[in-house]
């Protein structure tokens, strides 16, 4: 997934309010999906016919006259007749017992056999018809999903919507080994879910995501459910936000949105994050125009690890802009640019090629990607120096859009997916990026130079961990024994004390207070949360200092501590005064 050129605006991660509500159990019963009930209802008549035929055959056989071994009159008891009809119906064929049958008995038995065959044919045909019914298959599918969700024993997410953004999010979650359940109303999207062949078992539910019962079926009430992602249209996303807030208010919801009025309605139900891709893109353009150095740093940090630094765009504000777009996209971008004080002209793509005389920048965002590309190409021919921002709606035109090499390519689904993943995977690192986007150019230039000097020319990877006994046992033991440990000690190369690892701490979170780019002489404490940015592939170098006591001691004091108990004892005898500093 390429850089969507997004602008993040992280909301407060602490829930602000929960509406007054009545405790209600999360529904999960989908009407008409009880497979056993459907079988009993549809097979009732065939079963009655079979039982009636069998009963008549048994009673009739018991009434037919026969003889015993001595030629005396004899009739079969009801149980004997039942026994004979049972092995005859099952084609076992034990013969005529207890005595050879008379002709009346054989005639009745023959008639019963043909009648039973008719009854079984009727029942089997009814059963096959039931199996072919979509309602029955759906009932079996629902029961299978219910069992699969019930068996999930690790944290999982509910993804409502498997469009472009949902599909991107699910792919990354699957690559990370995270579990999730998908709901989508579109049958073709559920086919894509099956085709994508995720490594994890992914239950997929086809239906209206606005139905709270489907959310319940997907595991909303499950104790391991850790959140919901609403990535479909505005109406359904709003319904999901409302349902989760009222039924499971403790669960976070991250949602995409297109309309401003929907954002206001969602805010009352306090989702964790509301991502308006159009609005974010407008803010991104403003960032590129007003603070190009900050924009350059922010986009570099958002690129995939190892990506080179993009060339800085300068002097875009000197002149009017043209926004050629339809619907909500054109209105949002034009609104954001005007709020930033730019002279903006709007045009309808249906009116033909717009006049770009004197324009320094143009945003092409027609409903058709082909039309947007044609508008941008005409503008480039007319004015080769114009800044071109292009919107890509469909993945089908991705190759041609990238080949056009627009100055800015906006892919809404990628923007939404990137921000959703940011909140899920590494929220504190994205909080740092959000902090960057609010900084001025001078600060950004200094930070960019510092980062490139430490981690190299490629976009750094990120990681975060808390200084606790699980993720950093060796530093915790060292600090609890009275040893002093600073950020610089933690980043020291164990192979050379004069060298620092190509890693930098971008955030230090202590007691809910966040310090961005803390001084490396800051003394650490148990419980601190550290967010790292490092050269791609080098963050694993921290493992030595995190899990080995002698490495922590060496990095903090320069003293070499033997790894075994015997050599440590011998060392203490030679240097009894040695103690942690």
């Amino acid at each position: 997934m390429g850089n969507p050129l997004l602008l993040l605006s992280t909301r407060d991660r602490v829930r602000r309010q929960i509406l007054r509500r009545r405790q209600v159990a999360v529904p999960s019963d989908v009407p008409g999906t009880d497979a056993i009930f459907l079988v009993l209802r549809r097979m009732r008549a065939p079963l009655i016919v079979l039982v009636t035929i069998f009963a008549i055959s048994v009673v009739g056989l018991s009434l037919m006259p026969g003889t015993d071994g001595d030629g005396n009159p004899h009739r079969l008891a009801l149980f004997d007749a039942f026994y004979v009809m049972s092995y005859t119906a099952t084609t076992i064929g034990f013969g005529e017992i207890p005595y050879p049958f008379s002709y009346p008995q054989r005639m009745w038995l023959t008639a019963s056999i043909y009648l039973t065959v008719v009854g079984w044919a009727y029942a089997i045909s009814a059963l096959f018809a039931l199996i072919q019914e979509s309602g029955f298959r759906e009932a079996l599918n629902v029961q299978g999903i219910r069992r699969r969700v019930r068996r999930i024993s690790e944290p999982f997410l509910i993804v409502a919507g498997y469009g472009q953004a949902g599909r991107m999010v699910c792919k990354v979650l699957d690559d990370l080994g995270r579990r999730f359940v998908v709901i989508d109303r579109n049958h073709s999207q559920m086919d894509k879910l099956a085709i994508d062949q995720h490594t994890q078992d992914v239950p997929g539910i086809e239906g209206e995501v606005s139905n709270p019962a489907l959310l319940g079926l997907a595991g909303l009430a499950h104790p391991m459910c850790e959140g919901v992602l609403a990535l479909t249209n505005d109406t359904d996303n709003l319904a999901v936000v409302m349902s989760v807030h009222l039924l499971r208010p403790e669960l976070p919801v991250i949602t995409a949105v297109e309309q401003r009025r929907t954002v206001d309605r969602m805010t009352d139900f306090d989702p964790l994050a509301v991502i308006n891709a159009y609005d974010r893109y407008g803010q991104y353009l403003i960032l590129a125009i007003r603070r190009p150095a900050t924009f350059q740093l922010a986009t570099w940090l958002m690129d995939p690890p190892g990506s080179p630094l993009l060339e800085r765009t300068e002097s875009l504000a000197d002149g009017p802009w043209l926004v050629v777009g339809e619907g909500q996209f054109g209105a949002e971008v034009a609104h954001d640019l005007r709020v930033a004080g730019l002279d903006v002209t709007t045009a309808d793509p249906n009116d033909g090629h717009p006049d770009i005389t004197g324009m320094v920048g143009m945003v092409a965002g027609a409903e058709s990607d082909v039309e947007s590309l044609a508008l941008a190409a005409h503008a480039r021919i007319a004015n080769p120096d114009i800044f071109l921002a292009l919107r890509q709606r469909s993945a089908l035109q991705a190759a041609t859009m990238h080949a056009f090499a627009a100055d800015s390519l906006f892919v809404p689904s990628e923007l939404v997916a990137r921000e959703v993943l940011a909140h899920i995977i590494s929220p504190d690192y994205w909080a740092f990026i959000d902090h960057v986007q609010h900084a001025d150019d001078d600060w950004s230039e200094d930070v960019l130079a510092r980062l490139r000097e430490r981690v190299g020319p490629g976009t750094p990877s990120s990681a975060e961990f808390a200084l606790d006994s699980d993720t950093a046992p060796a530093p915790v033991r060292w600090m609890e024994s009275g040893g002093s440990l600073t950020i610089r000690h933690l980043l020291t190369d164990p192979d050379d004390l004069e060298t620092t690892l190509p890693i930098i701490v971008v955030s230090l979170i202590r007691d809910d207070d966040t310090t961005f780019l803390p001084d490396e002489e800051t003394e650490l404490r148990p419980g601190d949360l550290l967010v790292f940015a490092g050269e791609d592939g080098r963050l694993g170098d921290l493992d030595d200092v995190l899990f080995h006591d002698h490495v922590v001691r060496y990095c903090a004091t320069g003293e070499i501590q033997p790894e075994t108990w015997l050599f440590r004892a011998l060392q203490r005898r030679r240097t009894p005064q040695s103690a942690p500093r």
Side-chain angles (χ1 to χ4, degrees), residues 238-529:
L238 176 59
V240 171
V241 171
M242 294 167 60
S243 298
V244 176
H245 182 84
L246 294 174
L247 298 174
R248 290 288 306 274
E250 72 276 16
L251 288 183
V253 184
I254 301 173
T255 177
V257 71
E258 292 184 356
Q259 304 284 340
R260 283 181 180 271
R261 65 173 184 273
T262 309
V263 175
D264 297 334
R265 292 168 181 168
M266 286 181 174
T267 303
D268 293 335
F269 295 93
D270 198 29
L272 177 65
V274 180
I275 305 167
N276 184 339
Y278 297 159
D279 184 48
R280 300 289 167 82
Y281 184 65
Q283 295 175 37
Y284 157 75
L285 279 179
I286 295 169
L287 185 67
I289 294 169
R290 298 299 190 203
R291 290 172 287 152
T294 299
F295 162 76
Q296 186 186 35
L297 172 59
T299 51
W300 184 62
L301 291 173
M302 288 185 286
D303 272 331
S307 300
L309 184 67
L310 296 177
E311 193 173 334
R312 188 178 303 179
T313 56
E314 301 284 0
S315 303
L316 289 177
D318 297 333
W321 277 70
L322 175 65
V323 177
V324 187
E326 297 172 281
Q328 192 65 26
F329 172 74
E332 285 284 355
V333 174
H335 173 267
D336 289 333
L337 294 179
R338 288 191 178 109
V339 169
L342 297 181
D343 179 14
V344 180
T345 301
T346 58
D348 191 328
N350 298 315
D351 295 339
H353 292 301
D355 181 12
I356 62 170
T357 305
M359 299 292 176
V360 299
M362 171 178 154
V363 181
E367 291 300 311
S368 164
D369 287 347
V370 174
E371 192 168 0
S372 295
L373 197 56
L375 290 167
H378 181 78
R380 178 171 287 177
I381 292 172
N383 181 4
D385 296 327
I386 193 171
F387 184 92
L388 287 174
L390 198 60
R391 177 178 67 156
Q392 175 192 318
R393 285 177 56 84
S394 170
L396 297 176
Q397 297 295 330
T400 52
M401 287 285 187
H402 283 280
F404 182 75
D407 298 293
S408 170
L409 179 61
F410 169 51
V411 186
S413 57
E414 287 191 4
L415 189 153
V416 171
R418 181 64 64 89
E419 188 167 347
V420 167
L421 292 169
H423 282 89
I424 296 172
I425 298 172
S426 184
D428 295 305
Y429 181 67
W430 286 92
F432 169 69
I433 296 177
D434 182 60
H435 176 74
V436 167
Q437 293 169 1
H438 291 86
D440 57 40
D441 269 4
D442 292 338
W443 184 89
S444 297
E445 286 185 348
D446 292 341
V447 171
L448 180 60
R450 180 179 170 188
L451 282 172
R452 286 170 61 84
E453 181 183 5
R454 176 67 66 84
V455 306
T459 298
S461 299
S462 65
E464 62 181 69
F465 58 79
L467 293 180
D468 57 34
S469 56
D470 293 328
T471 56
V476 170
R477 283 193 291 268
W478 173 256
M479 290 185 287
E480 289 179 347
S481 67
S484 173
L485 188 70
T486 66
I487 294 176
R488 181 177 59 80
H489 295 148
L490 206 62
L491 301 180
T492 298
D493 188 345
D495 295 330
D496 182 2
L497 291 183
E498 301 300 322
T499 304
T500 302
L501 294 172
I503 300 170
I504 193 169
V505 175
V506 296
S507 302
L508 167 64
I509 302 173
R510 176 181 294 168
D511 300 330
D512 295 331
D513 293 328
T514 301
T515 303
F516 296 110
L517 295 170
D519 190 299
E520 295 195 346
E521 295 302 326
T522 303
E523 189 167 336
L524 297 172
R525 301 176 191 170
D528 286 348
L529 178 66

Side-chain angles (χ1 to χ4, degrees), residues 119-135:
W120 275 111
Y122 172 51
I124 292 173
S125 62
L127 182 61
F128 277 113
L130 176 63
I131 294 174
Q132 296 298 319
E133 283 191 3
S134 60

Side-chain angles (χ1 to χ4, degrees), residues 15-229:
R15 284 190 174 275
R16 293 176 292 108
Q17 60 178 355
I18 296 177
L19 295 175
R20 186 179 65 184
R21 68 189 189 96
R22 182 178 292 113
Q23 188 73 29
V24 175
V26 178
S28 62
D29 294 331
V30 181
T33 54
D34 190 334
I36 296 177
F37 174 76
L38 289 176
V39 170
L40 293 178
R41 187 176 62 181
R42 293 299 305 275
M43 295 301 296
R44 180 172 52 191
L47 290 176
I48 290 174
V49 170
L50 271 178
V51 171
T52 303
I53 291 174
F54 194 81
I56 292 174
S57 300
V58 169
V59 173
L61 183 61
S62 68
L63 296 177
M64 292 297 107
T67 58
D68 59 14
D70 299 330
N72 299 318
H74 178 269
R75 285 187 172 86
L76 292 175
L78 279 176
F79 177 78
D80 292 335
F82 173 78
Y83 178 64
V84 171
M85 288 305 304
S86 296
Y87 68 66
T88 302
T90 56
T91 70
I92 294 175
F94 285 157
E96 298 175 350
I97 56 177
Y99 307 111
F101 290 166
S102 64
Y103 282 109
Q105 287 175 318
R106 289 173 181 170
M107 290 179 63
W108 181 261
L109 193 59
T110 302
S112 298
I113 290 172
Y114 284 110
L115 198 60
T116 304
V117 168
V118 173
W120 275 111
Y122 172 51
I124 292 173
S125 62
L127 182 61
F128 277 113
L130 176 63
I131 294 174
Q132 296 298 319
E133 283 191 3
S134 60
F136 180 71
R137 293 201 300 271
E138 181 181 355
L140 291 178
N141 182 49
V142 168
Q143 291 190 357
I145 290 171
R146 199 186 302 278
R147 286 195 297 271
R148 291 163 66 189
V149 172
R150 191 184 303 126
R151 291 170 183 168
I152 295 178
S153 58
E154 54 193 307
F156 70 94
L157 294 161
I158 298 175
V159 181
Y162 199 67
Q164 290 185 46
R167 201 174 179 186
M168 293 176 190
V169 169
C170 290
K171 182 180 184 307
V172 176
L173 291 176
D174 187 61
D175 292 341
L176 294 173
R178 302 283 293 269
R179 298 294 302 272
F180 53 92
V181 180
V182 174
I183 310 174
D184 197 296
R185 71 168 68 182
N186 194 323
H187 182 72
S188 63
Q189 298 302 121
M190 301 312 296
D191 288 342
K192 291 178 182 176
L193 176 64
I195 294 172
D196 286 343
Q197 297 183 344
H198 298 290
T199 57
Q200 306 283 332
D201 175 31
V202 183
I205 303 171
E206 183 178 338
E208 297 290 340
V209 300
S210 57
N211 182 357
L214 285 187
L215 290 173
L217 181 64
L220 184 62
H222 197 293
M224 302 306 291
C225 181
E226 59 178 351
V228 181
L229 311 179

